[in-house]
Amino acid sequence: MNSHPKIGCFGEVLLGMGSPQTPWIPEWLTRYRRPRLAWYYALSGAMLNPNGAVQKVFDQDHERVGFRGMYDQLDGSRVLKLLEKDTDVSVIHLTRENVLKQYVSRYIMRRHRRLGRIRAHTTKELTPVKVAISPQLAEKDVLELLSQRSRLEEAFEGHRKIELVYEEMIQGNQITPSSVNSICELLEVSNEFAEPELRKMNPSTLSSMLTNFDEWQSHFEGTQFEELLG
């Protein structure tokens, strides 16, 4: 988004990361995820004044501004009440059809910094990672994610919005022209985006990501998630 000359898109400002005034952080602290998040969250002002963190984005000098808000950051928050009332705010809802793979991908990103899993996107090939995850824990978290998604869809029902499905919007390492056109139409800007240099971070199948895939097969057999295992 930031490749567009008329758009200023910021990061997870509700955690204090990628905000217009991201606080300085000691280099050694960047190696540790939880302390790093706590530092940004406290010193950015997002902890005490989340609405103010969002307002700083809206006050930026761009024709269009935005930020990245995750389900668990918005659901039930003061910021959601603010955004829900402001129907001038447009919403780009990026979602995934395979919520099980979404869960595993986030799990790997949060626990494998040493292998380059630091950000949600990458421009270089990464070493594949295979992990063991409890399917019971995954199911609990995925059901909560779907509940959060439903509540947020209801909250933004009166807003101009589009939904982009990851599995459909990415072809190879490029964003499809139809997805780009949808974004341009929603934001009322011309297509001046630079070509992204994206690389997929993880293998395309859950069996390539899980050392206990057979356990997942047994657990999710006959459930609403069974078809997502293939």
Side-chain angles (χ1 to χ4, degrees):
M1 296 290 284
N2 277 326
S3 70
H4 196 290
K6 296 181 180 178
I7 298 175
C9 189
F10 298 87
E12 295 180 44
V13 300
L14 295 178
L15 293 181
M17 299 190 301
S19 65
Q21 298 174 344
T22 300
W24 172 85
I25 184 171
E27 176 62 29
W28 64 268
L29 194 56
T30 63
R31 298 193 296 269
Y32 306 99
R33 182 177 181 275
R34 291 185 183 277
R36 172 170 50 91
L37 291 178
W39 178 283
Y40 283 136
Y41 188 46
L43 296 187
S44 68
M47 180 173 68
L48 297 178
N49 188 11
N51 285 4
V54 171
Q55 190 59 51
K56 288 178 183 178
V57 172
F58 291 164
D59 289 343
Q60 297 303 299
D61 188 22
H62 299 277
E63 286 194 25
R64 300 289 183 270
V65 293
F67 68 95
R68 184 182 179 192
M70 309 298 283
Y71 291 166
D72 55 358
Q73 297 166 16
L74 290 169
D75 187 37
S77 69
R78 284 182 284 165
V79 168
L80 180 59
K81 294 179 181 178
L82 173 72
L83 298 176
E84 191 174 2
K85 295 177 182 177
D86 188 353
T87 54
D88 287 336
V89 171
S90 298
V91 178
I92 299 174
H93 182 195
L94 178 59
T95 184
R96 291 191 72 150
E97 186 175 292
N98 193 329
V99 289
L100 293 183
K101 191 166 185 292
Q102 176 182 350
Y103 175 81
V104 174
S105 296
R106 291 193 68 187
Y107 181 99
I108 290 174
M109 184 181 73
R110 289 176 172 177
R111 289 164 175 77
H112 289 272
R113 179 182 173 85
R114 67 186 184 278
L115 295 176
R117 267 56 175 185
I118 302 172
R119 298 179 176 84
H121 308 287
T122 182
T123 57
K124 63 180 182 179
E125 300 294 334
L126 298 177
T127 303
V129 175
K130 209 168 185 179
V131 296
I133 305 174
S134 162
Q136 292 83 4
L137 178 61
E139 182 176 23
K140 175 178 177 292
D141 287 351
V142 165
L143 287 172
E144 175 57 22
L145 179 147
L146 293 176
S147 295
Q148 291 171 342
R149 178 188 293 179
S150 178
R151 289 192 291 269
L152 290 172
E153 286 175 344
E154 182 178 351
F156 289 115
E157 189 173 10
H159 292 63
R160 296 181 68 243
K161 59 183 178 293
I162 57 172
E163 180 176 287
L164 299 177
V165 180
Y166 177 83
E167 287 88 346
E168 299 173 359
M169 68 175 285
I170 302 293
Q171 291 184 354
N173 292 318
Q174 301 296 320
I175 300 176
T176 61
S178 61
S179 298
V180 174
N181 290 338
S182 295
I183 294 171
C184 291
E185 183 177 344
L186 177 72
L187 301 183
E188 298 179 339
V189 296
S190 58
N191 184 0
E192 299 177 59
F193 292 104
E195 287 291 330
E197 298 179 0
L198 302 177
R199 295 291 182 272
K200 289 190 176 181
M201 298 182 70
N202 296 302
S204 58
T205 62
L206 282 169
S207 59
S208 301
M209 301 169 70
L210 294 165
T211 58
N212 61 331
F213 180 69
D214 56 342
E215 187 180 349
W216 278 53
Q217 286 181 304
S218 298
H219 179 79
F220 288 112
E221 184 178 2
T223 72
Q224 61 178 311
F225 302 114
E226 182 178 11
E227 64 181 18
L228 302 179
L229 294 171

